[in-house]
């Protein structure tokens, strides 16, 4: 059993993995996570989910704003003398000089089947791309983003009605289970890391809010992929009379008409290729989410409207 493991992560996705290591007796000497962020209106300071669980488990944690050109943090990290560093969606590039400060290196649990979907938004991009499967890859961290050799990949099927929140939860629990199968091999230098086929790499760039705007000329499957991939944030949306409407849940319908035409009184909307989608849950700008029955009681978007 190693003396010191450092865990680096930030979002809820990383929480089950940290808990799994801790609860199974792996000694977490330090946790690194992003510093608390102000809310949009600056009225609250929000800790990262990993900071929250580190406090609950009474683990020592650090929240540097950046590791780049941070000599003080470098010296502190060096003194930890870590056996292994486990990184899960930390949210910062780890400088090259830090990668030499662990006996067994830095491993990253990445939410895709590498080399596909390297980068910041692999789950969202996979759903929006209508991929049939996704998974988690356990890799060594190299200097370039998500390019290191991989020791294990674990896959799941992507059902068409699953959104990014559903898939994130599934992959997080999968990783929390599978890391226990491989971590001892990594610590004992028994794990085999295989170089990625870089010619097959694709990049999952950070999601921009503007990407959420729906183009009704697209086929229904692509629109559903966007709705599911961008749920819960930033969300897929359309504009009507100057207001934004975020679609939270939808399914493929069986009607047709001109793209963007509302073809039923329950907000079935025509898409490209003579297809349609039925909206199941929606959120009007500045309002709470509503199921479609509640929404239509007070909505001006009726059959025949053009979106």
């Amino acid at each position: 059993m190693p003396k010191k493991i450092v865990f680096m992560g930030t979002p809820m996705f990383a929480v089950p993995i940290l808990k799994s290591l801790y609860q199974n007796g792996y000694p977490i000497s330090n946790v690194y996570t992003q510093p608390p962020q102000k809310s949009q209106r600056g009225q609250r300071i929000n800790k990262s989910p990993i900071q929250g669980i580190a406090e609950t488990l009474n683990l020592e944690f650090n929240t540097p704003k950046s590791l780049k050109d941070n000599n003080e943090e470098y010296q502190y990290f060096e003194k930890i003398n870590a056996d292994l560093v486990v990184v899960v969606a930390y949210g910062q590039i780890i400088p090259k000089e830090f990668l030499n400060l662990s006996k067994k290196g830095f491993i990253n649990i990445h939410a895709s089947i590498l080399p596909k979907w390297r980068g910041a938004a692999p789950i969202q991009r996979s759903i929006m791309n209508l991929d049939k499967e996704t998974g988690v890859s356990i890799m060594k961290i190299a200097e370039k983003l998500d390019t290191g050799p991989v020791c294990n990949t674990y896959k799941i099927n992507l059902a068409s009605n699953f959104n990014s929140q559903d898939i994130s939860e599934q992959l997080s629990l999968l990783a929390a289970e599978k890391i226990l199968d491989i971590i001892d091999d990594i610590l004992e230098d028994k794990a085999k890391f295989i170089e990625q086929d870089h010619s097959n790499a694709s990049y999952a760039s950070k999601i921009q809010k503007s990407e959420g705007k729906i183009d009704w000329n697209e086929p229904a499957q692509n629109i559903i992929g966007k709705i599911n991939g961008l749920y819960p944030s930033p969300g897929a949306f359309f504009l009507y009379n100057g207001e934004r409407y975020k679609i939270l849940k939808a399914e493929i319908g069986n009607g047709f008409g001109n793209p963007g035409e509302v073809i039923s009184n329950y907000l079935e909307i025509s898409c490209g290729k003579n297809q349609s989608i039925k909206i199941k849950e929606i959120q009007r700008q500045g309002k709470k989410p509503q199921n479609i029955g509640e929404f239509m009681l007070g909505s001006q978007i009726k059959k025949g409207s053009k979106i």
Side-chain angles (χ1 to χ4, degrees), residues 226-254:
K226 177 171 284 191
I227 292 166
N228 288 337
L230 299 183
Y231 179 92
S233 179
F237 67 91
F238 63 87
L239 300 174
Y240 183 76
N241 286 346
E243 284 193 295
R244 179 183 295 233
Y245 292 81
K246 186 189 292 188
I247 302 176
L248 306 178
K249 293 180 182 177
E251 64 185 19
I252 294 177
N254 52 19

Side-chain angles (χ1 to χ4, degrees), residues 23-36:
Q23 292 169 351
N24 284 277
Y26 289 94
I28 310 296
S29 63
N30 293 78
V31 172
Y32 273 74
T33 188
Q34 294 283 8

Side-chain angles (χ1 to χ4, degrees), residues 221-282:
Q221 294 93 330
N222 295 65
I223 294 174
I224 295 291
K226 177 171 284 191
I227 292 166
N228 288 337
L230 299 183
Y231 179 92
S233 179
F237 67 91
F238 63 87
L239 300 174
Y240 183 76
N241 286 346
E243 284 193 295
R244 179 183 295 233
Y245 292 81
K246 186 189 292 188
I247 302 176
L248 306 178
K249 293 180 182 177
E251 64 185 19
I252 294 177
N254 52 19
F256 61 89
N258 295 319
E261 179 185 355
V262 180
I263 56 176
S264 82
N265 285 324
Y266 283 89
L267 214 52
E268 184 172 355
I269 304 173
S270 183
C271 313
K273 294 192 175 180
N274 289 322
Q275 297 174 341
S276 67
I277 68 164
K278 293 179 178 178
I279 297 177
K280 310 298 287 184
E281 190 174 334
I282 193 168

Side-chain angles (χ1 to χ4, degrees), residues 12 18 33 68 92 123 147 230 235 241 253 296-297 306:
M12 186 60 67
L18 174 57
T33 188
K68 186 178 180 181
Q92 287 188 34
I123 294 173
T147 60
L230 299 183
N241 286 346
M296 293 307 295
L297 290 175
K306 177 72 172 160

Side-chain angles (χ1 to χ4, degrees), residues 17 28 37 44 64 156 163 224 244 262 280 287 304:
I17 302 163
I28 310 296
Q37 303 288 322
R44 290 187 308 171
I156 63 169
N163 59 45
I224 295 291
R244 179 183 295 233
V262 180
K280 310 298 287 184
K287 305 293 184 180

Side-chain angles (χ1 to χ4, degrees), residues 20-285:
S20 178
L21 291 170
Y22 176 85
Q23 292 169 351
N24 284 277
Y26 289 94
I28 310 296
S29 63
N30 293 78
V31 172
Y32 273 74
T33 188
Q34 294 283 8
Q37 303 288 322
K38 286 185 178 181
S39 61
Q40 286 186 340
R41 297 181 182 178
Q43 296 173 343
R44 290 187 308 171
I45 302 295
N46 300 314
K47 301 173 184 177
S48 78
I50 283 293
Q51 181 177 335
I53 194 64
E55 291 176 345
T56 299
L57 300 177
N58 199 29
L59 296 172
E60 186 173 338
F61 64 89
N62 300 62
T63 60
K65 189 174 181 179
S66 174
L67 296 177
K68 186 178 180 181
D69 300 324
N70 190 336
N71 189 55
E72 181 180 348
E73 201 63 53
Y74 177 88
Q75 291 179 351
Y76 179 87
F77 205 104
E78 187 176 31
K79 289 177 182 177
I80 295 174
N81 194 27
D83 289 271
L84 180 68
V85 182
V86 178
V87 182
V88 187
Y90 178 47
Q92 287 188 34
I93 298 294
I94 299 169
K96 180 181 178 181
E97 59 269 21
F98 276 77
L99 299 180
N100 299 317
L101 299 181
S102 167
K103 297 183 183 72
K104 305 297 180 181
F106 284 59
I107 63 166
N108 180 30
I109 300 175
H110 183 71
S112 82
I113 303 171
L114 289 170
K116 193 168 189 179
W117 301 128
R118 297 170 177 173
I123 294 173
Q124 294 95 323
R125 296 295 177 195
S126 185
I127 294 172
M128 293 166 70
N129 195 54
L130 306 181
D131 291 352
K132 299 298 184 185
E133 62 181 5
T134 186
V136 290
S137 299
I138 299 176
M139 54 168 279
K140 276 191 176 179
I141 292 183
E143 188 175 356
K144 292 184 179 180
L145 183 67
D146 298 334
T147 60
V150 175
C151 69
N152 283 74
T153 299
Y154 306 95
K155 300 178 182 180
I156 63 169
N157 293 325
L158 265 180
S160 60
N161 60 333
F162 283 5
N163 59 45
S164 62
Q165 182 171 280
D166 299 327
I167 297 301
S168 179
E169 290 172 359
Q170 282 193 37
L171 292 182
S172 177
L173 294 174
L174 177 66
E177 172 191 347
K178 296 302 183 182
I179 188 61
L180 301 176
D181 294 342
I182 193 67
I183 192 168
D184 286 329
D185 283 347
I186 294 171
L187 290 163
E188 295 167 12
D189 296 322
K190 294 178 181 177
K192 293 183 179 179
F193 287 87
I194 300 171
E195 196 71 21
Q196 296 182 41
D197 182 354
H198 302 294
S199 65
N200 287 328
S202 57
Y203 183 64
S205 58
K206 184 179 179 180
I207 300 292
Q208 305 297 323
K209 284 186 179 181
S210 59
E211 293 182 69
K213 188 173 182 180
I214 294 170
D215 178 357
W216 297 107
N217 291 297
E218 291 189 354
Q221 294 93 330
N222 295 65
I223 294 174
I224 295 291
K226 177 171 284 191
I227 292 166
N228 288 337
L230 299 183
Y231 179 92
S233 179
F237 67 91
F238 63 87
L239 300 174
Y240 183 76
N241 286 346
E243 284 193 295
R244 179 183 295 233
Y245 292 81
K246 186 189 292 188
I247 302 176
L248 306 178
K249 293 180 182 177
E251 64 185 19
I252 294 177
N254 52 19
F256 61 89
N258 295 319
E261 179 185 355
V262 180
I263 56 176
S264 82
N265 285 324
Y266 283 89
L267 214 52
E268 184 172 355
I269 304 173
S270 183
C271 313
K273 294 192 175 180
N274 289 322
Q275 297 174 341
S276 67
I277 68 164
K278 293 179 178 178
I279 297 177
K280 310 298 287 184
E281 190 174 334
I282 193 168
Q283 185 174 12
R284 184 179 178 184
Q285 186 173 332

